[in-house]
Amino acid sequence: MTPLQQIDSLRARIGGSIIGQRDVIDRLLIGLLANGNLLIEGLPGLAKTRAIKALAKNLECDFSRIQFTPDLLPADVTGTEMYLQTPDGPSFQFQQGPIFANVVLADEINRAPAKVQAALLEAMEERQVTVAGTTHKMAPLFMVMATQNPIEQEGTYPLPEAQMDRFLMHVMITYPPLADEVEVIRLVRSEEQAATTDTSKAGAEKPAPIPQESVFAARREIAAIHTSDAIETYMATLVQATRTPGDFSTDLARWIEVGASPRASLALDRCARAHAWMKGRDYVDPEDIRAIAGDVFRHRLTLTYEAQGEGTSADAVVAEMLAQVALP
């Protein structure tokens, strides 16, 4: 099978565990292929954790889940130096924390204080962790997928802007339509029924997980995706519109207080190429950029008090940007 066929198979397997939410599944795969970290936000019970677990279950990888709580410590995430008494004498040995996995689920990340959230920054950006002056490298396949609940405020801590910027995309999960809700009921019922059957037979029927090499091969093909000069200028202009909004629209000038950093340009490029590759093309089309623009910009824009007072969302701001910036 080609890398694209392998990734399509992975999408289908995840879709077997998640009803609807096709855009969310695609965003998970784009994050995997673009070698980035994702922030997934949605109300309780919308399968945020389930979607991430489904990805890890069907991919050849080590999976780790960290439940963020107010009493969590940085060492609970990164690991710590342990004092050991050995036949050769006492020594310190580094005990790896749950961050040392291929796919890390940071569940309800906004429930931990800034000190713990900051413990993720080095791993998310440099793919390494430094403890007691020693640097420990992460595995070649490494990504953090964090979830958060948008409605709970008590006992939560807003994510620092520096950490938000390190997420490749900010993915929103919404309520499913009626037909999908019915399918969810049927899916969970069938899973409960399957749990009462012979587990040895059920285990024998499971297909082998998608190998990591398929992901690396896909990334090599994505790196070769053609991006024209006009497309590159289009991406840079979109980012520029967040920094000098008055040059594009009076509404944008009223809504945007702080624009996006160069990480937004890099994220647009990586995600657009991954999106084009998943569509079977060897070049980036403007629609690839428009498809992922909301996820890339959503968490990188600081809105003015006026915009917040009017109830203007970041998605509405991005829609206005896309309307004002001319297509190549």
Side-chain angles (χ1 to χ4, degrees):
M1 296 176 66
T2 66
L4 181 56
Q5 291 172 330
Q6 292 274 31
I7 297 303
D8 285 341
S9 174
L10 179 58
R11 180 199 285 114
R13 295 188 195 183
I14 300 173
S17 300
I18 306 297
I19 301 300
Q21 309 290 4
R22 296 177 182 84
D23 288 343
V24 174
I25 295 174
D26 284 345
R27 297 306 181 268
L28 293 180
L29 294 176
I30 289 174
L32 175 69
L33 297 173
N35 194 22
N37 308 295
L38 300 185
L39 176 62
I40 304 174
E41 183 173 325
L43 296 171
L46 296 185
K48 300 185 296 294
T49 301
R50 182 185 177 95
I52 298 170
K53 285 184 174 180
L55 169 64
K57 177 182 178 181
N58 292 286
L59 182 65
E60 182 186 60
C61 67
D62 293 326
F63 174 71
S64 178
R65 179 179 183 271
I66 309 172
Q67 181 63 54
F68 279 65
T69 57
D71 61 346
L72 199 69
L73 298 175
D76 297 330
V77 175
T78 61
T80 187
E81 293 281 331
M82 300 291 292
Y83 177 81
L84 299 177
Q85 187 68 43
T86 66
D88 298 329
S91 65
F92 284 91
Q93 181 176 338
F94 178 67
Q95 298 292 326
Q96 293 184 348
I99 193 68
F100 287 90
N102 300 122
V103 177
V104 179
L105 167 58
D107 215 1
E108 296 183 296
I109 189 173
N110 56 333
R111 287 194 174 277
K115 180 183 292 187
V116 179
Q117 295 174 11
L120 291 172
L121 295 183
E122 184 181 13
M124 291 170 61
E125 185 71 10
E126 282 82 27
R127 299 298 198 268
Q128 64 183 30
V129 169
T130 303
V131 177
T134 302
T135 298
H136 306 271
K137 295 290 185 180
M138 317 303 292
L141 179 62
F142 172 77
M143 66 183 306
V144 174
M145 295 189 178
T147 69
Q148 69 175 7
N149 182 344
I151 62 172
E152 292 186 351
Q153 302 299 325
E154 187 172 349
T156 63
Y157 303 82
L159 271 64
E161 285 77 4
Q163 184 177 5
M164 291 287 285
D165 202 25
R166 282 171 169 80
F167 285 107
L168 183 73
M169 292 188 292
H170 181 187
V171 182
M172 300 294 294
I173 297 184
T174 58
Y175 285 126
L178 177 62
D180 286 348
E181 192 93 25
V182 174
E183 290 300 319
V184 168
I185 296 173
R186 294 171 179 169
L187 174 63
V188 174
R189 182 191 300 135
S190 66
E191 290 177 344
E192 293 173 348
Q193 293 172 347
T196 63
T197 62
D198 188 349
T199 56
S200 63
K201 293 181 180 179
E205 297 173 357
K206 293 180 180 178
I210 303 300
Q212 289 189 20
E213 180 54 37
S214 296
V215 177
F216 298 138
R219 288 178 179 177
R220 289 191 291 269
E221 292 185 3
I222 291 170
I225 293 289
H226 175 68
T227 306
S228 67
D229 293 344
I231 289 293
E232 292 175 346
T233 301
Y234 180 55
M235 292 188 289
T237 305
L238 284 173
V239 177
Q240 193 66 28
T242 70
R243 301 170 185 168
T244 58
D247 295 343
F248 295 85
S249 164
T250 55
D251 283 335
L252 289 178
R254 290 192 305 111
W255 292 338
I256 300 177
E257 181 175 353
V258 180
S261 76
R263 284 196 182 101
S265 303
L266 301 176
L268 279 176
D269 177 54
R270 291 159 60 187
C271 293
R273 283 188 285 115
H275 188 274
W277 181 84
M278 289 173 61
K279 294 296 183 181
R281 286 185 274 104
D282 62 354
Y283 62 92
V284 176
D285 186 88
E287 287 305 311
D288 295 316
I289 300 170
R290 297 172 68 87
I292 50 87
D295 303 286
V296 169
F297 284 112
R298 184 175 291 126
H299 57 303
R300 291 186 165 94
L301 299 179
T302 301
L303 303 186
T304 62
Y305 287 113
E306 183 177 359
Q308 297 176 40
E310 294 176 355
T312 302
S313 66
D315 288 346
V317 176
V318 174
E320 176 67 11
M321 286 166 45
L322 294 175
Q324 294 299 326
V325 176
L327 289 169

